[in-house]
Amino acid sequence: MDNFTFYSPTDFVFGRGTENESGKYVKKYGGTKVLIHYGSGSVVRSGLLDRVKKSLEAEGIAYVELGGVQPNPRDTKIYEGIELCRKENVDFILSVGGGSCIDSAKGIAIGVLYDGDFWDFYERKANVEKALPIGTVLTIAAAGSEGSGASVVTKEDGMLKRDVGSDLLRPKFSILNPELMFTLPAYQTACGATDIMAHVFERYFTNTEEVEITDRLCEAVLLTMIKETPRVIADPENYGARANMMWAGTVAHNDIVGVGRSQDWNSHGIEHELSGLYDCAHGAGLAVIMPAWMEFVYKHDVNRFVQMATRVFGCELDEENPENTARAGIRAFRQFLHDIGMPINFTELGAKEEDIPVLVEKFGIGDGLTWGFVRLSAKDIAEIYKIAAHATL
Amino acid sequence: MDNFTFYSPTDFVFGRGTENESGKYVKKYGGTKVLIHYGSGSVVRSGLLDRVKKSLEAEGIAYVELGGVQPNPRDTKIYEGIELCRKENVDFILSVGGGSCIDSAKGIAIGVLYDGDFWDFYERKANVEKALPIGTVLTIAAAGSEGSGASVVTKEDGMLKRDVGSDLLRPKFSILNPELMFTLPAYQTACGATDIMAHVFERYFTNTEEVEITDRLCEAVLLTMIKETPRVIADPENYGARANMMWAGTVAHNDIVGVGRSQDWNSHGIEHELSGLYDCAHGAGLAVIMPAWMEFVYKHDVNRFVQMATRVFGCELDEENPENTARAGIRAFRQFLHDIGMPINFTELGAKEEDIPVLVEKFGIGDGLTWGFVRLSAKDIAEIYKIAAHATL
């Protein structure tokens, strides 16, 4: 196990009706003038936004609103938010929505208190030294941003997707009510589930030895997702199944399952070019890429893939040929993704094999290598896209 | 799943050599005059105390010292600490030791800022509204106090063991270096392991339904302990095994594995009377009590015990008679405790069957019932002591 620090100070408020405590928690963490930040009209139509406002009003807290955050959130909306916050002297940002909305709120939170262009933080030209406090009311289990210090934003000019991370961006509080997901379409639910599982796998595939506790915690989240995702898709208003999936999504990404070990985020990176080029859902792109990445790298550490196959997917160990077991685990994962309605190859995703050179070019690794479980060259990445293009069950 | 809040703001600093960062972290959390609180001479002899002092000096932080904390920490030492802190204008308490030392530090932290008797908090006569900040340098994986807001203290007059809990008592930071446990005797290591497993089981046995994520997280910690404890006992300087056990101990008790579900702390309560009467180690008492409690209650929810047996102890499911599987799981747990050197009955612990009426009397439930997975009467508790008295493999 490697040395590590783990700091997750977010106050998580979980359960039925908890959005009605938004005002109480904004007050607890010192907010007096709030920007309510949200995405689509669904939070308006469902009445959620009204309940949040009522809760703020009950505590005598003033607010302004900014909606319209898109999936894969854009820099343009963040500039708008920064300007509004400055004009209105906002001192607290409340995100009401999913991961895109939270990531946009985080961009605003660091931009408001910075003299330069907020994009500097995403280009590693500036370090986060202060940020407005933020809170979240989560509407989809997926990104884990409600419990992380990370934010991923797309610059419209060139469609560049970049990220920033700082403990200062960890939400002061996050409100998680599983009921808010009852109306989510099956496809979006499955995309969220895939993203959650990817967050775990990207920690699971490590070169660090002696990591039994985090291995087991990773497997705990994966086993939960394998049980709960089909239940949620079959029965969208199943509170218990939604609740398990929602808390699993937070645990998957606040890093408690990933501390003290090297991690591998290449699948996320390789996928980002797909959602960048085709504007597909991040989870759907991951469903296509992640098993392909596994097939490309499993020989690097067959034992680790055998562990995944036997502990997570219940495959039987082929003692004479463990590689068979490793491959069976990867097949089981792809089958699971298919069963929950995810695409498993380029055709199902709507991507084109002839675009592979463009995707590799945009990845931008040049003659170098990525970091991770297996360091990848441009040629390796092209090969992974190719496996993904043709994958079958 | 029940509604819950989860708040664990402690900054965990894990790994080799991290005690040398004590000063840096005291500074980060605003300490300018520190009380270094410790227990036995071992932290002096090992040179740990010197390294901590050097680290404080490097940051220009002044300190005073108070050693001599006993296992099952006493109120008398806390009065001494309160007086010293007031006299010396201490603004930060740094515990260097195990759970007893941390719990004593927490008692001092609330006592210093309170006009009345600090014992009021432990008697539920006062609510914690402020406390000095504390930090910890942990020397044994066991109590989980480094990541919890709880403190258990014994009042010498009458040997009353009482507890208090508040988020204000969660340490600002906790430093965990597995190397500091290399010199721990096997018996103390095993007592710590038993305490860690008990913290998980007391969350695992619940009447709340739809708790797959926390079930799986509980099982993750238990599986880790089953693998790592024998390795640590066979090879005390095995860093990897010590590291897994140490982080498991924190995860077991900061409540991430126990949120959103009813819990059962009767085994802890029933054990407290044993360590109160015989001054035995808490972990050793738990090894005797916990399987006996399981045997007494398993019929309340055979399925849950079957789940423990199959998922945690690898027992095969007897579909015709699941109770056999449940009992096999409990037997496997007792065998494990025996194998790591723990006592499994009164004789091995040094307790006497004829004291059972005294133990039940001290438990003090009268004509009432406890709370938990199965609510227990005085007669039930006597029966559990009796099972414990005669237990065999």
Side-chain angles (χ1 to χ4, degrees):
Chain A
M1 200 183 296
D2 299 331
N3 281 17
F4 66 85
T5 58
F6 177 68
Y7 178 60
S8 171
T10 303
D11 206 342
F12 294 103
V13 184
F14 191 101
R16 293 185 156 95
T18 45
E19 68 272 21
N20 299 315
E21 300 186 50
S22 307
K24 189 182 115 188
Y25 279 91
V26 168
K27 194 170 194 176
K28 180 173 176 184
Y29 290 101
T32 62
K33 179 75 178 277
V34 171
L35 171 72
I36 305 179
H37 199 39
Y38 61 95
S40 67
S42 69
V43 302
V44 182
R45 288 191 301 275
S46 69
L48 172 59
L49 204 65
D50 275 343
R51 296 202 293 286
V52 168
K53 287 182 193 173
K54 214 174 270 176
S55 164
L56 291 171
E57 287 158 13
E59 300 290 340
I61 296 166
Y63 56 82
V64 291
E65 294 173 45
L66 179 65
V69 180
Q70 292 170 268
N72 300 320
R74 308 298 161 89
D75 60 336
T76 43
K77 183 59 70 179
I78 291 176
Y79 290 115
E80 207 181 321
I82 291 169
E83 200 182 315
L84 182 61
C85 285
R86 286 179 180 158
K87 190 177 132 214
E88 297 283 349
N89 289 315
V90 163
D91 59 15
F92 196 99
I93 303 177
L94 182 61
S95 163
V96 182
S100 297
C101 189
I102 302 172
D103 284 7
S104 182
K106 288 175 178 175
I108 298 171
I110 42 176
V112 172
L113 303 181
Y114 180 63
D115 284 337
D117 182 349
F118 91 93
W119 191 249
D120 290 351
F121 296 108
Y122 292 77
E123 295 249 295
R124 308 276 189 275
K125 289 183 190 163
N127 283 322
V128 180
E129 276 161 19
K130 47 192 175 176
L132 284 186
I134 79 160
T136 87
V137 179
L138 189 66
T139 55
I140 175 170
S145 189
E146 71 280 5
S148 86
S151 163
V152 183
V153 170
T154 299
K155 191 181 177 69
E156 275 194 8
D157 182 8
M159 291 303 275
L160 288 169
K161 212 164 179 175
R162 294 287 180 271
D163 67 301
V164 67
S166 163
D167 281 338
L168 291 167
L169 292 179
R170 288 185 179 265
K172 295 295 176 195
F173 67 84
S174 281
I175 286 175
L176 298 94
N177 177 359
E179 291 174 318
L180 300 180
M181 296 198 292
F182 283 179
T183 54
L184 266 187
Y187 186 77
Q188 268 181 269
T189 299
C191 285
T194 307
D195 197 17
I196 291 168
M197 293 178 79
H199 288 155
V200 179
F201 278 128
E202 275 152 329
R203 292 169 164 100
Y204 194 66
F205 291 103
T206 185
N207 295 315
T208 310
E209 296 192 350
E210 295 284 5
V211 288
E212 183 73 359
I213 178 66
T214 37
D215 271 1
R216 289 289 188 184
L217 293 170
C218 283
E219 291 157 5
V221 178
L222 294 167
L223 288 163
T224 302
M225 295 306 297
I226 289 169
K227 176 183 170 194
E228 303 298 355
T229 310
R231 293 178 72 212
V232 162
I233 287 171
D235 179 11
E237 302 203 5
N238 183 325
Y239 181 86
R242 287 277 189 198
N244 277 297
M245 183 172 160
M246 197 171 210
W247 190 233
T250 301
V251 172
H253 203 47
N254 85 336
D255 216 24
I256 195 149
V257 307
V259 291
R261 50 197 290 155
S262 69
Q263 304 185 358
D264 183 292
W265 290 84
N266 286 319
S267 294
H268 252 76
I270 294 171
E271 189 295 310
H272 277 169
E273 304 312 330
L274 288 178
S275 48
L277 194 63
Y278 304 111
D279 209 18
C280 59
H282 175 52
L286 285 167
V288 172
I289 292 301
M290 189 139 242
W293 171 84
M294 289 180 177
E295 282 169 351
F296 186 76
V297 303
Y298 80 92
K299 287 188 182 170
H300 172 68
D301 187 350
V302 172
N303 287 343
R304 183 149 283 277
F305 277 90
V306 166
Q307 181 177 304
M308 171 190 90
T310 54
R311 290 186 181 178
V312 178
F313 291 103
C315 301
E316 214 160 308
L317 174 61
D318 180 340
E319 290 192 23
E320 296 212 346
N321 193 345
E323 289 197 14
N324 285 342
T325 313
R327 282 192 296 266
I330 300 167
R331 271 200 308 278
F333 179 39
R334 189 178 274 134
Q335 181 71 50
F336 172 83
L337 293 167
H338 168 78
D339 291 346
I340 63 171
M342 286 287 95
I344 59 153
N345 54 38
F346 269 29
T347 311
E348 291 182 17
L349 183 70
K352 291 179 196 144
E353 190 175 357
E354 58 264 35
D355 288 339
I356 290 179
V358 180
L359 293 164
V360 174
E361 180 64 25
K362 285 195 78 180
F363 191 94
I365 194 71
D367 293 334
L369 293 174
T370 65
W371 287 101
F373 181 63
V374 173
R375 301 186 65 183
L376 303 173
S377 67
K379 194 167 151 260
D380 297 333
I381 292 166
E383 188 57 34
I384 291 167
Y385 281 126
K386 210 164 164 188
I387 296 171
H390 295 282
T392 54
L393 291 177
Chain B
M1 199 182 296
D2 299 331
N3 281 17
F4 66 85
T5 59
F6 177 68
Y7 178 60
S8 172
T10 303
D11 206 343
F12 295 102
V13 184
F14 191 100
R16 294 177 206 269
T18 46
E19 67 272 21
N20 299 314
E21 300 187 48
S22 307
K24 188 181 114 186
Y25 278 91
V26 168
K27 196 169 192 177
K28 179 173 176 183
Y29 290 100
T32 62
K33 179 75 179 274
V34 172
L35 173 70
I36 304 178
H37 199 38
Y38 62 95
S40 68
S42 69
V43 300
V44 182
R45 287 192 300 276
S46 69
L48 172 61
L49 205 64
D50 275 342
R51 295 202 294 284
V52 169
K53 286 181 194 173
K54 214 173 272 178
S55 164
L56 292 172
E57 287 159 13
E59 300 290 339
I61 295 166
Y63 56 82
V64 292
E65 295 172 45
L66 180 64
V69 181
Q70 291 169 268
N72 300 320
R74 309 297 162 86
D75 62 333
T76 44
K77 182 60 67 179
I78 291 175
Y79 289 115
E80 208 181 318
I82 292 170
E83 202 182 314
L84 181 61
C85 286
R86 286 178 180 157
K87 192 177 130 212
E88 298 282 348
N89 290 313
V90 162
D91 59 15
F92 197 100
I93 304 178
L94 182 61
S95 164
V96 182
S100 296
C101 189
I102 302 172
D103 284 6
S104 182
K106 288 175 177 174
I108 297 170
I110 43 177
V112 172
L113 303 181
Y114 181 62
D115 283 338
D117 182 348
F118 91 94
W119 192 249
D120 289 352
F121 296 107
Y122 291 77
E123 297 249 296
R124 308 276 189 273
K125 289 182 189 162
N127 283 323
V128 179
E129 276 162 20
K130 47 191 174 175
L132 285 186
I134 79 160
T136 86
V137 179
L138 189 66
T139 56
I140 175 169
S145 190
E146 71 280 4
S148 86
S151 162
V152 183
V153 170
T154 300
K155 190 181 177 70
E156 273 194 10
D157 182 10
M159 290 302 276
L160 288 170
K161 211 164 179 173
R162 294 285 181 272
D163 68 299
V164 67
S166 163
D167 281 337
L168 292 168
L169 292 179
R170 288 186 180 263
K172 295 294 176 196
F173 68 84
S174 282
I175 286 174
L176 299 93
N177 176 357
E179 293 175 317
L180 301 179
M181 297 198 292
F182 282 179
T183 53
L184 267 186
Y187 186 77
Q188 267 180 272
T189 298
C191 284
T194 308
D195 197 16
I196 291 169
M197 293 178 79
H199 289 155
V200 178
F201 278 128
E202 276 152 328
R203 292 170 164 99
Y204 194 67
F205 290 103
T206 184
N207 294 316
T208 310
E209 294 190 353
E210 293 284 5
V211 288
E212 183 73 358
I213 178 65
T214 37
D215 271 1
R216 289 289 188 183
L217 293 171
C218 283
E219 291 157 5
V221 178
L222 294 168
L223 287 163
T224 302
M225 295 305 297
I226 289 169
K227 177 184 170 194
E228 302 298 355
T229 310
R231 293 178 73 212
V232 162
I233 286 170
D235 179 11
E237 302 201 5
N238 184 325
Y239 182 86
R242 288 278 189 197
N244 277 296
M245 182 172 160
M246 196 171 211
W247 190 235
T250 301
V251 171
H253 202 46
N254 85 335
D255 216 25
I256 194 148
V257 306
V259 291
R261 49 198 291 155
S262 69
Q263 304 185 358
D264 183 292
W265 290 84
N266 286 319
S267 294
H268 253 76
I270 294 171
E271 189 294 312
H272 276 169
E273 303 313 329
L274 288 177
S275 47
L277 195 62
Y278 305 112
D279 209 17
C280 59
H282 176 51
L286 284 168
V288 172
I289 292 299
M290 190 137 240
W293 172 84
M294 289 179 178
E295 281 168 351
F296 186 76
V297 304
Y298 79 91
K299 287 187 182 169
H300 171 68
D301 186 350
V302 172
N303 286 344
R304 183 150 283 278
F305 278 90
V306 167
Q307 183 177 303
M308 171 189 89
T310 54
R311 289 186 183 179
V312 178
F313 292 103
C315 301
E316 214 158 309
L317 173 62
D318 180 340
E319 291 193 23
E320 296 213 345
N321 193 346
E323 289 199 13
N324 285 342
T325 312
R327 281 192 297 267
I330 300 168
R331 271 200 308 278
F333 179 39
R334 190 178 272 133
Q335 181 71 50
F336 172 83
L337 294 166
H338 168 79
D339 291 346
I340 63 170
M342 285 287 94
I344 59 154
N345 55 38
F346 269 30
T347 310
E348 291 182 16
L349 182 70
K352 291 180 195 143
E353 189 174 359
E354 59 263 36
D355 288 339
I356 290 178
V358 181
L359 293 164
V360 174
E361 180 65 25
K362 286 194 79 180
F363 190 93
I365 193 71
D367 293 334
L369 294 174
T370 64
W371 288 100
F373 182 65
V374 173
R375 300 187 63 182
L376 304 173
S377 68
K379 193 165 151 264
D380 297 333
I381 291 166
E383 189 57 35
I384 290 167
Y385 280 127
K386 211 164 161 188
I387 296 170
H390 295 282
T392 54
L393 292 177

